[in-house]
């Protein structure tokens, strides 16, 4: 029988990243102390941390490492959540929330440390992360963030309008929030590097092996694919926003608590040196406060990697090309003609309150979802915490604010309607600037 082939998205990252390790499918029966489902940042980081502790681990991936959100994202390394600030997290989760905030504060540095420690060339640049504000009224977001994150010891700063103009090369914003530990990476290179690192340290990785069922058998977990089965003492479900996309009913309790929303990514042609020096000259990663988010960072070839959101019928990529070209030309008129060499998309798991959902899913089983577009750095750190959890670290020491899964009511219907939120965001953005 011929091996199933994996279709990669037409992304910049898939085009420029050296191939990952060659992996087998799971065929026949296997045993492991820990089974991990999903080889994105969460699953791979869990496996790597477990191997560092000498724990036997096998990872099952439906496609190839990094095929999900981890290999498709914008690669911004951001040590915050999208909207909730530290006090929101602590108000919701108490002392577990405080430990989570401390984890989150350090996530960017943790990611860059991991890349250094495992000698992964992920085109990483720890050039900082900036969140410029798009209206005078939104300055209070930046002020609140600086106040709260400073209290929790994060190296953050409030930026004046002039400072943001110097940093980004545009007068479009009114000030901003700055965390110098952030930056950007080639995310697929990081995922493949983590896979190589885990493999080299003795993890077993199986690709092209979608898990079809998870059942409890005696005191073990039995994980079945079309061609094999894996029995394990503990389980980490790291399928995140793709939880219901490949095997619909694999973990319905996780799939029903997020809205998977398509986020579009685009990479321009490499910019000329003269132009590049005038647009985000310090090469920071940038995501602003618009509801319809403006975001951009450079890749190693000086392409501006940005993107947007689109709804409605027709050729979405063509409409986005036109819309985002206009946006870039408005922000930076000196950019001139814009050509997008790559346009692709991936699912972001949105929750109703923009907080992630982290679960203990039975005896020695863990999982999470709800990245809300901000978990490149967080998912690597969560992998470290899941590795501790399956080794028996007590809940009072883990930076994991567990909750019970709560499905979003009328999930199927709301999933169809969720993209319409874009119209609400556009209206709000326009009203704020009026
Ligand atoms: C387009 C886009 C842009 C983003 N930009 C940013 C950004 O710039 N900064 C930021 O901080 N965050 C960003 N994010 C979010 C970030 O990418 C994710 O939070 C992070 O990659 C999640 O990693 P993960 O390992 O938990 O999940 P994933 O990387 O999605 O991994 C889940 C894996 O599970 C596998 N899987 C699913 N079902 C099965 C099954 N039945 N059997 C076996 N395997 C299965 C999938 O194939 C997939 O590889 C973005 C996300 C997207 C989609």
């Amino acid at each position: 029988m011929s091996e199933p082939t994996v279709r990669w998205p037409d992304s910049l990252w898939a085009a420029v990243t050296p191939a990952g390790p060659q992996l087998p499918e799971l065929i026949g029966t296997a045993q492991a102390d820990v089974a991990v489902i999903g080889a994105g940042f969460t699953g791979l980081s869990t496996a790597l941390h477990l191997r560092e502790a000498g724990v036997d681990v096998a990872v099952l991936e439906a496609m190839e490492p990094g095929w999900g959100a981890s290999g498709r994202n914008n690669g911004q390394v951001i040590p915050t959540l999208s909207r909730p600030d530290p006090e929101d997290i602590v108000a919701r989760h108490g002392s577990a929330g405080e430990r989570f905030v401390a984890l989150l504060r350090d996530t960017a540095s943790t990611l860059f440390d991991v890349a250094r420690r495992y000698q992964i060339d992920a085109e990483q640049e720890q050039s900082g992360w900036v969140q410029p504000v798009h209206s005078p009224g939104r300055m209070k977001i930046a002020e609140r963030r600086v106040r709260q994150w400073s209290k929790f010891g994060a190296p953050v700063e409030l930026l004046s309008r002039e400072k943001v103009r110097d940093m980004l090369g545009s007068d479009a914003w009114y000030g901003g929030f700055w965390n110098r530990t952030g930056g950007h990476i080639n995310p697929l290179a990081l995922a493949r590097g983590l896979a190589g690192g885990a493999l080299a340290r003795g993890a077993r990785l199986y690709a092209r092996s979608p898990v079809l069922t998870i059942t409890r058998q005696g005191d073990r977990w039995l994980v079945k694919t079309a061609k094999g089965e894996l029995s394990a003492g503990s389980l980490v479900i790291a399928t995140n926003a793709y939880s219901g996309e490949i095997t619909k009913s694999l973990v319905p309790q996780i799939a029903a608590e997020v809205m998977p929303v398509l986020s579009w990514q685009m990479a321009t042609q490499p910019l000329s040196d003269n132009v590049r020096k005038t647009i985000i000259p310090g090469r920071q990663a940038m995501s602003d406060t618009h509801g319809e988010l403006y975001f951009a960072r450079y890749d190693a070839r000086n392409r501006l990697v940005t993107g947007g959101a689109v709804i409605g019928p027709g050729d979405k990529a063509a409409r986005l090309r036109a819309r985002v070209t206009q946006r870039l030309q408005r922000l930076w008129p000196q950019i001139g003609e814009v050509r997008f060499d790559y346009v692709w998309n991936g699912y972001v798991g949105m929750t109703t309150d923009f907080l992630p959902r982290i679960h203990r899913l039975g005896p020695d089983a863990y999982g999470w979802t709800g990245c809300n577009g901000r978990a490149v750095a967080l998912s690597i750190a969560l992998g470290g915490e899941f590795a501790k959890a399956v080794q028996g670290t007590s809940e009072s020491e883990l930076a994991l604010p567990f909750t019970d899964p709560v499905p979003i009511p009328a999930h199927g219907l709301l999933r169809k309607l969720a993209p319409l939120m874009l119209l609400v965001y556009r209206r709000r953005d326009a009203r704020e600037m009026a």
Side-chain angles (χ1 to χ4, degrees):
M1 198 169 23
S2 68
E3 288 219 330
T5 51
V6 167
R7 193 178 179 308
W8 288 90
D10 297 325
S11 74
L12 165 66
W13 312 126
V16 302
T17 307
Q22 290 246 331
L23 300 174
E25 291 175 64
L26 177 70
I27 296 176
T29 57
Q31 310 252 335
D33 288 346
V34 183
V36 174
I37 306 179
F41 294 147
T42 305
L44 293 167
S45 167
T46 304
L48 202 48
H49 280 89
L50 285 172
R51 284 311 302 150
E52 288 294 3
V55 179
D56 173 42
V57 55
V59 182
L60 293 175
E61 164 57 46
M63 304 292 179
E64 295 281 350
W67 182 88
S70 295
R72 297 166 187 249
N73 60 61
N74 197 254
Q76 298 204 12
V77 180
I78 306 174
T80 69
L81 298 181
S82 62
R83 299 207 188 168
D85 282 321
E87 286 175 10
D88 305 315
I89 299 168
V90 173
R92 178 71 67 90
H93 295 294
S95 52
E98 282 180 21
R99 294 190 296 278
F100 181 76
V101 169
L103 181 88
L104 187 59
R105 176 196 63 210
D106 297 338
T107 49
S109 298
T110 301
L111 180 146
F112 288 110
D113 281 349
V114 165
R116 244 188 317 272
R117 193 145 32 95
Y118 295 101
Q119 299 182 323
I120 299 172
D121 176 5
E123 302 173 9
Q124 55 270 47
E125 296 184 44
Q126 195 166 12
S127 44
W129 180 71
V130 58
Q131 183 178 40
V133 303
H134 73 277
S135 70
R138 290 273 167 147
M139 245 345 244
K140 61 179 183 298
I141 294 183
E143 286 161 3
R144 190 181 63 223
R145 296 209 122 167
V146 169
R147 195 174 58 247
Q148 292 196 19
W149 276 112
S150 301
K151 221 165 75 186
F152 283 88
V156 296
E157 269 173 55
L158 190 66
L159 302 175
S160 65
R161 184 167 195 176
E162 294 68 35
K163 182 74 189 154
V164 168
R165 186 194 303 137
D166 291 348
M167 215 177 227
L168 303 182
S170 170
D171 204 23
W173 292 284
Y174 291 81
F177 169 85
W178 159 242
N179 185 322
R180 59 184 70 246
T181 65
H184 49 88
I185 50 161
N186 167 338
L188 185 57
L190 183 64
R192 288 179 176 168
L194 290 170
L199 209 56
R201 281 158 189 81
R204 282 171 287 153
L205 267 59
Y206 299 98
R208 304 172 303 285
S209 303
V211 172
L212 303 177
T213 58
I214 303 168
T215 49
R216 191 81 184 141
Q217 232 178 41
D219 60 354
R220 294 181 71 77
W221 293 99
L222 189 65
V223 174
K224 285 194 179 172
T225 67
K227 298 180 188 170
E229 56 183 58
L230 172 68
S231 157
S234 311
L235 183 64
V236 175
I237 299 177
T239 46
N240 212 326
Y242 284 80
S243 291
E245 300 309 307
I246 294 166
T247 307
K248 207 168 170 14
S249 57
L250 184 69
V251 271
Q253 66 276 49
I254 289 188
E257 62 183 348
V258 284
M259 284 297 155
V261 174
L262 273 184
S263 162
W264 289 77
Q265 304 292 306
M266 318 167 74
T268 66
Q269 78 277 24
L271 301 191
S272 74
D273 250 9
N274 282 346
V275 173
R276 188 195 57 73
K277 283 184 198 145
T278 66
I279 297 176
I280 324 184
R283 303 178 65 84
Q284 293 87 359
M286 177 278 281
S287 314
D288 82 353
T289 50
H290 276 98
E292 183 182 8
L293 195 65
Y294 291 13
F295 56 95
R297 43 73 51 104
Y298 284 109
D299 83 335
R301 289 145 295 271
N302 295 327
R303 295 178 189 277
L304 209 48
V305 192
T306 178
V310 66
I311 52 170
D315 184 343
K316 291 191 172 58
R319 282 173 31 222
L320 262 178
R321 280 189 155 91
R323 188 174 179 91
V324 179
T325 294
Q326 277 176 13
R327 179 188 301 164
L328 294 183
Q329 289 172 338
R330 209 170 50 241
L331 294 171
W332 295 290
Q334 70 272 34
I335 200 167
E337 198 187 324
V338 176
R339 187 185 77 227
F340 288 106
D341 290 342
Y342 302 94
V343 179
W344 70 100
N345 61 36
Y347 281 119
V348 170
M350 302 300 296
T351 57
T352 45
D353 54 9
F354 303 94
L355 283 163
R357 307 285 189 255
I358 303 176
H359 307 303
R360 194 193 288 282
L361 292 161
D364 277 328
Y366 302 88
W368 85 284
T369 192
C371 74
N372 291 286
R374 289 284 157 86
V376 161
L378 178 62
S379 50
I380 302 271
L382 285 179
E385 292 302 297
F386 288 137
K388 285 188 210 161
V390 296
Q391 289 177 83
T393 298
S394 75
E395 196 168 321
S396 62
E397 287 174 70
L398 292 169
L400 295 174
F402 291 121
T403 55
D404 291 329
V406 178
I408 296 175
H411 185 266
L413 175 67
L414 284 181
R415 183 170 178 173
K416 289 199 182 90
L417 297 178
L420 296 176
M421 278 306 289
L422 182 60
L423 299 178
V424 177
Y425 291 140
R426 278 184 186 160
R427 202 147 159 251
R428 199 180 297 158
D429 290 343
R431 217 176 35 221
E432 279 180 70
M433 292 309 296

